[in-house]
Amino acid sequence: MKLSWPVMAGMIIFLLLIVWTLYGVLVSMSVSQADYDVLDTLENGVEIRAYPQEIWATTIADDQNRAFSPLFRYISGDNERSEKIEMTAPVVTMNTEEGMFMAFIMPERFDMQSIPRPLSSLVKLKLVEPRKLAVIRFSGYMSQGSYDKNLKQLREALEDEGISAVGEPQLMQYNDPWTPPFSRRNEIALQVIDDRPAGA
């Protein structure tokens, strides 16, 4: 039986959607993720997490695209040993007075002595001490509206629990640009000081 064009088009779109979804799942599974322990879960799904010491490759630029390029070149071999460094999710970004700050988290196999030095002066290596973060997770493509909405929910959850936040919000994104929106993992994090009484 010959299918009509609308039916065929619908089937093609459905198959492409399945392939797109599988692509997002496979890519996410193939990328290592930064380690952390969940200490507590608050309202709005906010997690209090403990992160170990990490090494970040960082840069500051006018926008995300200009920040991403030198960091990607660094892990692709633009370093003193021409060594390719595996990607670790998430990519961390923050808005600062100097511009868009971006960091790639380095694999756990490195320490500050063994990690290859970047050749570009735009890339700096930073040792990040263990810290406690409050994190809210959401999906979809990033927009200013979704960022503002989730940051507000994060701050409200902390305020309700009497937990103080310090520093600027960190946007943590786990997926490449081609991952479908429903499979995307975005997080906003604030470094916290837990002011709650013991046992609360």
Side-chain angles (χ1 to χ4, degrees):
M1 184 178 69
K2 188 175 181 179
L3 298 176
S4 66
W5 169 242
V7 173
M8 290 181 63
M11 292 177 64
I12 292 170
I13 292 171
F14 179 71
L15 289 172
L16 289 174
L17 187 61
I18 291 175
V19 171
W20 194 20
T21 302
L22 289 174
Y23 167 83
V25 171
L26 290 174
V27 169
S28 297
M29 291 175 62
S30 67
V31 176
S32 298
Q33 295 186 2
D35 190 34
Y36 61 83
D37 293 318
V38 178
L39 304 178
D40 197 3
T41 302
L42 313 180
E43 64 180 61
N44 296 327
V46 171
E47 292 182 343
I48 305 297
R49 300 177 183 171
Y51 282 80
Q53 180 176 275
E54 296 173 337
I55 299 174
W56 288 5
T58 72
T59 194
I60 296 178
D62 294 335
D63 55 46
Q64 286 200 30
N65 288 334
R66 289 191 175 124
F68 186 88
S69 294
L71 294 176
F72 188 75
R73 288 196 299 270
Y74 166 66
I75 67 171
S76 299
D78 187 28
N79 55 66
E80 63 183 2
R81 297 203 298 264
S82 299
E83 180 177 342
K84 291 188 176 181
I85 301 170
E86 60 269 29
M87 191 79 178
T88 300
V91 174
V92 181
T93 56
M94 287 186 288
N95 287 312
T96 70
E97 292 181 358
E98 292 80 16
M100 172 62 68
F101 170 92
M102 180 176 288
F104 284 11
I105 301 171
M106 297 293 97
E108 294 179 0
R109 62 188 176 91
F110 290 117
D111 57 30
M112 288 300 285
Q113 285 69 48
S114 64
I115 191 166
R117 267 39 190 182
L119 295 179
S120 171
S121 61
L122 298 175
V123 179
K124 309 294 183 186
L125 297 176
K126 177 181 179 181
L127 184 66
V128 180
E129 295 300 330
R131 65 215 183 278
K132 189 184 294 185
L133 300 179
V135 181
I136 189 167
R137 177 174 174 172
F138 55 102
S139 61
Y141 288 123
M142 178 55 56
S143 68
Q144 190 62 48
S146 63
Y147 179 88
D148 292 343
K149 173 187 172 184
N150 283 280
L151 179 58
K152 182 173 182 289
Q153 292 180 346
L154 175 59
R155 292 191 186 281
E156 287 174 347
L158 295 179
E159 184 177 351
D160 289 345
E161 293 289 335
I163 301 174
S164 300
V166 295
E168 294 298 319
Q170 301 175 10
L171 175 62
M172 304 192 295
Q173 295 176 284
Y174 287 75
N175 310 101
D176 67 32
W178 300 280
T179 299
F182 45 82
S183 297
R184 300 186 71 80
R185 178 179 177 182
N186 310 302
E187 295 176 338
I188 299 174
L190 287 167
Q191 189 164 348
V192 296
I193 302 170
D194 197 340
D195 299 326
R196 293 176 295 181

